[in-house]
Each structure stands twice: as structure tokens, then as C-alpha cells.
Amino acid sequence: MPGVTTPALVSAVANAGALAMLGAGGMPLALVEAALDEILRSTPQPFGVNFLIPFLDREVLELVSPRVRMVEFFYGKPDASLVEIVHRAGALACWQVGSTNEARLAVDCGCDVVVAQGVEAGGHVRGSLSLLPLLAEVLEAVRVPVIAAGGIGTARAMAAMLAAGASGVRAGTRFVATEESGAHPSYVAALIRSQAEDTVLTDAFSVMWPDAPHRVLRSCVERAQSLDADFAGETTIGGAIFPIPRLSVPVPTRATTGHIDAMALYAGESVSAVERVTSAASIVRELCDGAAVLLEHAAAEVTAQQPPESELDLPPASTKG
Ligand SMILES: Cc1cc2nc3c(=O)[nH]c(=O)nc-3n(C[C@H](O)[C@H](O)[C@H](O)COP(=O)(O)O)c2cc1C
């Protein structure tokens, strides 16, 4: 989540024991390097970096890959030459996918992990399926760890995805509302006020990145469409000031000024679980400890009443597609 994933957020999540990702998006090398320096000073734990394919600079990828445990790509056809760069640097390669075909392609290209993203997700959305049907298909199709993403904001949702066979879960929107996040306070306040029903999958914010649907708060689409100006505001990145055109992709950060409520306020259906600003570590604990309790409880209920899974006569899963 470029701009949101400050070095402080990445290291807080990593120190809490989760796999933190630095959103590098299309950030220039100097900024990514500076962020990595800061993260590496504040955590000995593994973390990753995420690149958006439409904005990818191969030189940045080459130089960054040796410094992280995992490199992830999103929003482009899986590409074996990119995976090769990551592997040569000694890192794991991951691809966030929106369909089973894309998951197969990613694994064929050598990816070690895939993230299956359902349409419930906040930010840019790659596919057209809800998370559970997508996850079920992807788990049948590939033999690498699959991480579930999209709408996961509670321990209950995390437990459900793990019970369904995911090797892990990704949460995005929850971490926007953290003490360490770089998100603008008005964006965070809007998330706290919102429920899943207040989000919409749209292509409204397509200036700078067309043909890429995204889930945002419905209110920001309405505000942006009725804004009587070419620019919604401006933001400072690495000491330089950039204007933010109306209906363009940048997320408002602490360094953004202008009509924040008319900018892209990315939010997943998980936004219902965003109730307050808290530390990133407390979210990791809430999700992981809560999911563990729920899974233990479910397992205890099953063993009390049911034969072990190995004795169950489960029908073969569909292999259609
Ligand atoms: C503000 C925001 C920015 C995001 N930026 C990226 C990104 O740069 N790269 C990426 O792979 N995914 C990005 N995502 C999507 C996440 O990887 C993930 O699919 C999503 O957050 C999961 O849904 P959730 O928000 O309901 O947890 C972003 C999500 C949000 C909310």
C-alpha cells in the first residue's frame, strides 16, 4: 500500500510476527532504498516488498530483491523473467492473483507463493470472483502455499480462510487505521465511520491507471465526481510536491493536502472491522490469537462429535476449469 506502508508500519507488523509488505508501487529507487534502510534498522524479522506491474522499473526490482525475503507482484500477467530476477537474488517470489488461471500461470512461472484476492478486497481488484469460491479453486489448482486476501478484517474471517485451506491471510484495510500508517487522518476517520456496504467496486479513479477496477468508499466517488476543479489537491513525496488530478489513483497520506474526501479512499469489505486507530501489533495479535481460539474450538467440537477427517467419505472436489 504505497504511502500507507511507512517503514514504521512494516517493521511493527514484522516485529509482531506477520509477513509485512512494503508497497513500492512505482516509487523511485532512492525512496525504496531509504525505506528499506529504515526497516532493516528496526526489525530483524523477514518482510517483503510489493510491486505493481504497470509501474514496475526492472532496475529497482534488481536492486531491491537481494534485500528482502519476499518480492510480490500484482496486476499483470505472471512473467518468468521477473520471478527469475527475484530467485537469483535469493528471495521468494509471490504473485497476487484474481483468477485460477492467473494462479496456475504464476506457479508455472516459478512463484513460491500466491495470494488469491477476492473482489471483497480494498484497493485495486484483479478478478471477478468472491474470495471463497476463488480460494477453493486455486487450492485445487496449485501446489504452493496460497494466502487468502479480500475482506478479512476479523479473527473469524481469518479462521474461516485457514479452515478452508489457506496457508495464511492478508489484511490490507485494517492496517490503514494504525498508529504507524501513513494514511491521512481524514481517510482513517472515514474508514472508522464506514461499513462494508459503504464500499463500492468502481473504475472511477482511473486517471494515471486506466482499466483497473478498485474498491473504495462510495462517498469519495460521489465527492470526486461533483468536485468542480481539475485537481483534488497535492502531495509531497521525497521532498517534491505533486498535484493530484481529480479522479486519479494516489491515496491521501499525511503529506497530502486538499479535498481528501474526494480522493481515492481505498477500502475493502473488511472496513466494518475498522473501529478505531490502534497499533499494528495489536491487530496482528487480535487476528492470530482470535483465529487460533476459534479453530481450536471448532476442532474440539468436531473431534467430540465426528470421526477423524481421514475417515470421512468426502466427495472429490470439482476440477472444472
Ligand atoms: C490502501 C490500499 C492500497 C493497496 N495497494 C496495493 C498495492 O500497492 N499492491 C498490491 O498488491 N495490493 C494492494 N492493495 C490490495 C491488498 O494487497 C489486498 O488485496 C487487500 O487489501 C485485501 O483486502 P482488505 O483490504 O479487505 O484486507 C491495497 C489495498 C489497500 C486497502
Side-chain angles (χ1 to χ4, degrees):
M1 304 190 289
V4 173
T5 51
T6 58
L9 178 55
V10 175
S11 48
V13 170
N15 283 328
L19 180 63
M21 301 297 293
L22 173 72
M27 272 158 63
L29 180 61
L31 286 186
V32 185
E33 294 275 28
L36 292 182
D37 291 344
E38 206 174 324
I39 297 164
L40 288 163
R41 272 197 304 271
S42 11
T43 181
Q45 301 298 330
F47 65 94
V49 66
N50 172 284
F51 291 102
L52 295 167
I53 293 290
F55 307 102
L56 179 70
D57 177 336
R58 276 181 185 250
E59 192 202 345
V60 179
L61 175 66
E62 300 257 7
L63 292 166
V64 159
S65 295
R67 305 189 67 193
V68 298
R69 185 71 184 107
M70 180 185 280
V71 176
E72 181 187 22
F73 303 98
F74 185 42
Y75 237 94
K77 190 174 169 211
D79 179 337
S81 70
L82 299 179
V83 174
E84 168 72 26
I85 293 172
V86 174
H87 282 164
R88 236 187 296 126
L92 294 167
C94 175
W95 212 285
Q96 180 163 230
V97 303
S99 71
T100 309
N101 270 345
E102 200 176 26
R104 278 199 198 96
L105 264 177
V107 173
D108 289 348
C109 287
C111 282
D112 307 287
V113 183
V114 294
V115 177
Q117 188 205 44
V119 293
E120 302 92 329
H124 285 80
V125 171
R126 182 67 175 154
S128 57
L129 289 186
S130 298
L131 176 56
L132 201 47
L134 175 67
L135 178 69
E137 274 190 28
V138 171
L139 284 169
E140 295 299 327
V142 301
R143 290 285 164 269
V144 299
V146 178
I147 295 170
I152 301 169
T154 60
R156 208 171 277 290
M158 175 169 171
M161 291 305 137
L162 295 177
S167 294
V169 303
R170 158 168 298 169
T173 302
R174 281 294 311 264
F175 289 95
V176 178
T178 53
E179 288 151 9
E180 300 88 352
S181 149
H184 192 283
S186 303
Y187 171 24
V188 174
L191 293 181
I192 291 170
R193 283 195 303 272
S194 301
Q195 297 292 330
E197 293 85 347
D198 301 321
T199 71
V200 63
L201 187 59
T202 177
D203 55 6
F205 291 89
S206 37
V207 175
M208 297 159 80
W209 188 1
D211 305 319
H214 36 275
R215 186 174 293 279
V216 293
L217 295 180
R218 184 179 293 105
S219 61
C220 71
V221 178
E222 289 157 5
R223 301 264 154 71
Q225 284 171 342
S226 60
L227 189 68
D228 188 18
D230 292 340
F231 294 93
E234 58 186 31
T235 197
T236 306
I237 303 173
I241 297 175
F242 297 90
I244 299 184
R246 191 174 76 98
L247 293 167
S248 64
V249 292
V251 65
T253 68
R254 291 174 187 277
T256 306
T257 55
H259 303 278
I260 305 297
D261 59 351
M263 296 181 191
L265 305 184
Y266 299 108
E269 292 184 357
S270 52
V271 72
S272 299
V274 178
E275 294 177 338
R276 66 187 73 85
V277 174
T278 177
S279 70
S282 71
I283 295 177
V284 174
R285 269 197 310 275
E286 172 201 326
L287 295 184
C288 295
D289 294 354
V293 169
L294 287 164
L295 289 170
E296 272 165 29
H297 176 74
E301 289 226 316
V302 168
T303 42
Q305 295 165 16
Q306 305 283 336
E309 191 176 308
S310 55
E311 285 173 38
L312 295 178
D313 192 19
L314 292 170
S318 161
T319 50
K320 195 175 78 169

